[in-house]
Amino acid sequence: MDVDVDDSDSEHDSSGSSGSPDSDKHSTDSDSSSSSSSSSDTDGEKSSEHGEASDTFGQVRLFELGLGGISRMANAQRFRPLLSTLNDAVDETQQLVALQELAELLSMATEESLIGVDIGDFARVLINLGGGPSGDLAGLVAGNANVMLLACRCLSNLLEALPLSGSTLLRHGAVDMLCGRLLDIEYIDVAEQALSVLARISRDFAARVCEAGGLSACLMFLDFFASSTQHTALTCAVNCARAISSDQFAQAADAVPVLERTMFYSDPKTVELSCAALLHLVTAFRSSPERTERLVSADLLQRIVTSFRSGDSMHHDEASVALLRLLVVVATASRERAAQLLGMAIIPTVCDILSAQCVDPHVAFGAVDEARNTRQYRQRSAVRVPEPAWEALRLVLALLPRLPITSESLGHMEVFVCQGN
């Protein structure tokens, strides 16, 4: 049987099938265009958001810079009238009021609050005011004790608020002024305040302080000060002794008699600082046996050995360690002083130090072998050797005679080593 196929239906199907690629192409193009338009919209949104964020950051930065400029201007406006008053005052009352206000402001100041303030101008004025009648700045009322005291107090508060201002004070002659206040004491309060400022400067600029005579200045009238001020003076002396140079031996020799006296005081802090200062001075000149012998006399050695025998220095660990190190340096630098130490029977004293530091006083010498088996002894022996014991051993090594370094002695040593092998 023949089946008739409708031509219209076939044509319709063929036309539909032939038109499908074009329709798919159009739909793909429309999809890509829509996706590209959406991506462009997204990129535009991101770029706009980034632009807004950068604009916001820039505005915040400008705001912060504006605040910084405003704060600097505000700081300058707070301190500028005080500087003008100190420069132009002809009445002591006005000057004292300005100094009191400046001291209060500096006592509460920080590094941020001093931004924009010309520290150099204030340093110049305060140093000349603290110098008393020797101040060479025109228009200043100098010589009043309260003025000098407040000027030194302002310098002290300035160093506390801005530690980096020490270089500025040095450049304007603060060390010379402070040493002058200590070498020529008119008012004890002014001297104590000047000593405090000098000790603070000596932390970072000890060499400059020593060059200006700071070591002699801080020890010149030590006995006139209270105990706490003596500690400040000795701390300044320790800082200067660390930085003393070889051409300042005269200043070191002048300081030794004062340290010899204070190192046997009853105050532990004074003894500790005095021993440390003397140790640094002797160490600085240990390359010269003559200078070492001038700094440390035989009488001083005898007093040190006697203090160890009596147990006075044993009560202060830091002082005893410093004294033992001093003896080591002296015995190493000068063979004459080493022989004198041996004549003073230093070896039994060293044995006593080692026994006190390394042997348990509760264990009898006959029971040492038995005690070594105990757990407590093993735990104690694992602890490091006390520092006084190490220094005592170093002293023994320093006192031993030195072998001559000659070709003959080296030949004997070589033969000895060969026989041992």
Side-chain angles (χ1 to χ4, degrees), residues 260 263-264 274-283 286 292-293 295-309 313-314 318-351 353 388-400 402:
E260 286 185 14
M263 66 190 296
F264 295 103
S274 301
C275 294
L278 185 59
L279 173 61
H280 290 308
L281 289 178
V282 176
T283 303
R286 62 184 172 182
T292 302
E293 293 169 3
L295 292 177
V296 182
S297 62
D299 294 336
L300 178 57
L301 289 181
Q302 184 63 61
R303 293 184 65 185
I304 294 175
V305 174
T306 304
S307 68
F308 278 110
R309 289 175 182 171
S313 60
M314 298 300 178
E318 295 296 331
S320 62
V321 170
L323 288 178
L324 287 171
R325 288 177 179 172
L326 176 65
L327 295 180
V328 171
V329 173
V330 172
T332 305
S334 172
R335 302 313 298 171
E336 180 180 351
R337 291 290 183 261
Q340 291 172 348
L341 280 173
L342 290 173
M344 297 172 187
I346 188 63
I347 298 301
T349 304
V350 171
C351 293
I353 296 174
W390 280 117
E391 298 302 329
L393 292 175
R394 291 182 61 212
L395 179 58
V396 172
L397 293 176
L399 292 172
L400 289 175
R402 298 170 184 168

Side-chain angles (χ1 to χ4, degrees), residues 24 29 39 64 72 95-96 100 152 279 293-294 356 414:
D24 292 341
D29 294 338
S39 62
E64 291 178 351
R72 285 192 291 270
Q95 203 170 50
L96 286 173
Q100 289 176 352
C152 292
L279 173 61
E293 293 169 3
R294 287 184 58 185
E414 184 176 358

Side-chain angles (χ1 to χ4, degrees), residues 88-149:
D88 303 332
V90 293
D91 184 9
E92 292 184 2
T93 304
Q94 296 178 357
Q95 203 170 50
L96 286 173
V97 171
L99 284 172
Q100 289 176 352
E101 185 176 355
L102 179 60
E104 292 177 0
L105 286 176
L106 291 176
S107 65
M108 299 179 293
T110 60
E111 294 185 7
E112 291 78 9
S113 64
L114 292 177
I115 296 176
V117 179
D118 193 343
I119 302 300
D121 290 342
F122 278 98
R124 179 174 56 88
V125 173
L126 294 174
I127 291 169
N128 281 275
L129 285 175
S134 61
D136 56 356
L137 192 62
L140 294 181
V141 181
N144 185 289
N146 292 326
V147 170
M148 291 188 290
L149 177 62

Side-chain angles (χ1 to χ4, degrees), residues 38 47 105 112 181 192 204 258 297 347 383 388 393 405 417:
S38 61
S47 61
L105 286 176
E112 291 78 9
R181 293 297 92 207
E192 290 178 350
D204 303 320
V258 180
S297 62
I347 298 301
V383 181
L393 292 175
I405 306 301
V417 171

Side-chain angles (χ1 to χ4, degrees), residues 62-99:
L62 290 175
F63 181 72
E64 291 178 351
L65 293 175
L67 288 181
I70 293 173
S71 63
R72 285 192 291 270
M73 293 176 59
N75 294 336
Q77 290 177 358
R78 291 174 62 191
F79 285 92
R80 190 178 296 115
L82 297 176
L83 181 62
S84 301
T85 302
L86 293 176
N87 278 321
D88 303 332
V90 293
D91 184 9
E92 292 184 2
T93 304
Q94 296 178 357
Q95 203 170 50
L96 286 173
V97 171
L99 284 172

Side-chain angles (χ1 to χ4, degrees), residues 353-370:
I353 296 174
L354 293 173
S355 299
Q357 294 291 331
C358 301
V359 178
D360 191 349
H362 300 289
V363 178
F365 284 101
V368 171
D369 293 334
E370 181 181 353

Side-chain angles (χ1 to χ4, degrees), residues 32-283:
S32 61
S33 61
S34 61
S35 61
S36 62
S37 62
S38 61
S39 62
S40 62
D41 294 341
T42 305
D43 295 338
E45 291 176 358
K46 289 182 179 180
S47 61
S48 62
E49 290 177 358
H50 179 71
E52 292 177 358
S54 60
D55 294 341
T56 304
F57 177 77
Q59 293 174 0
V60 171
R61 184 58 180 166
L62 290 175
F63 181 72
E64 291 178 351
L65 293 175
L67 288 181
I70 293 173
S71 63
R72 285 192 291 270
M73 293 176 59
N75 294 336
Q77 290 177 358
R78 291 174 62 191
F79 285 92
R80 190 178 296 115
L82 297 176
L83 181 62
S84 301
T85 302
L86 293 176
N87 278 321
D88 303 332
V90 293
D91 184 9
E92 292 184 2
T93 304
Q94 296 178 357
Q95 203 170 50
L96 286 173
V97 171
L99 284 172
Q100 289 176 352
E101 185 176 355
L102 179 60
E104 292 177 0
L105 286 176
L106 291 176
S107 65
M108 299 179 293
T110 60
E111 294 185 7
E112 291 78 9
S113 64
L114 292 177
I115 296 176
V117 179
D118 193 343
I119 302 300
D121 290 342
F122 278 98
R124 179 174 56 88
V125 173
L126 294 174
I127 291 169
N128 281 275
L129 285 175
S134 61
D136 56 356
L137 192 62
L140 294 181
V141 181
N144 185 289
N146 292 326
V147 170
M148 291 188 290
L149 177 62
L150 287 174
C152 292
R153 187 171 298 168
C154 288
L155 292 176
S156 178
N157 294 340
L158 177 61
L159 284 171
E160 292 295 331
L162 192 64
L164 296 179
S165 62
S167 58
T168 304
L169 299 184
L170 282 176
R171 189 168 60 251
H172 289 83
V175 174
D176 294 331
M177 182 273 291
L178 296 171
C179 291
R181 293 297 92 207
L182 293 173
L183 292 173
D184 185 15
I185 295 181
E186 299 178 8
Y187 309 98
I188 191 65
D189 294 340
V190 177
E192 290 178 350
Q193 192 66 59
L195 183 59
S196 176
V197 179
L198 188 65
R200 178 62 183 82
I201 295 177
S202 68
R203 297 180 191 174
D204 303 320
F205 305 97
R208 296 287 298 274
V209 173
C210 204
E211 290 176 2
L215 179 60
S216 300
C218 65
L219 297 177
M220 179 69 71
F221 300 100
L222 185 66
D223 294 333
F224 290 92
F225 297 124
S227 179
S228 58
T229 309
Q230 288 182 356
H231 296 167
T232 303
L234 290 172
T235 301
C236 183
V238 172
N239 295 335
C240 292
R242 286 196 184 101
I244 196 168
S245 59
S246 58
D247 59 345
Q248 297 168 350
F249 178 76
Q251 193 173 178
D254 293 338
V256 167
V258 180
L259 299 175
E260 286 185 14
R261 185 175 66 254
T262 57
M263 66 190 296
F264 295 103
Y265 278 6
S266 58
D267 182 39
K269 186 67 174 178
T270 301
V271 173
E272 177 185 340
L273 292 172
S274 301
C275 294
L278 185 59
L279 173 61
H280 290 308
L281 289 178
V282 176
T283 303

